[in-house]
Amino acid sequence: MDIESIIKKDGFYMTVAKGVSMRPLIRAGRDTVCIVKPEPPLLPFEIMLYRMEDRYVLHRLIKAEGGGKYIFLGDNCVTLEHVDEKQIVGRLKLLYRDEKEIHLDSFLLRLYTLLWARPWRIRIRLLRLRNRIKGRLKRFHAEKK
């Protein structure tokens, strides 16, 4: 059964997070996410689940483009994704770390969103710089061997 069918049948879908695209907020193998049906309106900086070809992606909504088109970006990503509203499967409702609920409306998460998620243009530049530095360090260490 696919995720859309599970959400339609049960009202939610829970799974252990995979991947690194939403780090540092969501940690693969450690965090559990609960996804519910995406009720309108879809608000900027909410975390949504959507289909991209043969996989599901859990990323942050950056903005609506109009005409049922949206722009998404992972918190640890540098590439914007253009998504049609038909691809959107669900909205992150609950996040658990080590079986403890992390409240999405908590002060710390609102602060994280304000300082890291909202200034997404700056974040992209910072992550690209980090990636360049990591790449150069890797080459430097490889040359030393």
Side-chain angles (χ1 to χ4, degrees):
M1 193 180 284
D2 65 1
I3 293 174
E4 290 106 317
S5 300
I6 294 170
I7 292 173
K8 192 177 281 186
K9 178 181 171 280
D10 297 336
F12 68 96
Y13 175 76
M14 289 186 78
T15 188
V16 174
K18 300 177 184 113
V20 297
S21 66
M22 284 301 291
R23 280 189 69 83
L25 178 62
I26 300 174
R27 300 172 186 174
R30 182 174 179 192
D31 295 346
T32 300
V33 295
C34 178
I35 308 296
V36 297
K37 183 179 176 185
E39 298 293 337
L42 304 183
L43 301 173
F45 305 104
E46 286 188 302
I47 299 170
M48 309 294 287
L49 182 72
Y50 55 92
R51 269 182 283 100
M52 285 296 268
E53 298 165 12
D54 62 342
R55 62 190 171 93
Y56 290 98
V57 179
L58 186 66
H59 281 173
R60 194 176 295 277
L61 173 60
I62 298 299
K63 65 180 179 177
E65 291 184 294
K69 305 282 187 198
Y70 296 90
I71 298 176
F72 285 86
L73 179 66
D75 287 3
N76 192 32
C77 295
V78 297
T79 304
L80 297 173
E81 296 154 337
H82 298 270
V83 175
D84 188 275
E85 67 184 339
K86 294 175 187 163
Q87 295 171 260
I88 299 171
V89 174
R91 169 186 276 133
L92 180 66
K93 176 71 174 172
L94 299 169
L95 176 63
Y96 295 92
R97 177 164 299 139
D98 302 328
E99 299 179 20
K100 180 182 175 193
E101 183 177 343
I102 297 173
H103 295 275
L104 299 179
D105 61 349
S106 71
F107 171 76
L108 287 177
L109 269 174
R110 288 194 320 250
L111 183 63
Y112 168 85
T113 300
L114 179 69
L115 297 176
W116 186 249
R118 283 188 179 271
W120 59 272
R121 288 178 179 93
I122 295 168
R123 176 169 37 104
I124 287 174
R125 288 184 183 103
L126 289 171
L127 290 174
R128 284 182 176 153
L129 178 62
R130 178 201 66 184
N131 293 345
R132 268 191 237 123
I133 291 169
K134 280 174 122 177
R136 288 185 180 162
L137 286 172
K138 247 184 186 175
R139 285 191 299 277
F140 175 76
H141 289 298
E143 289 170 2
K144 284 184 86 175
K145 289 183 180 180

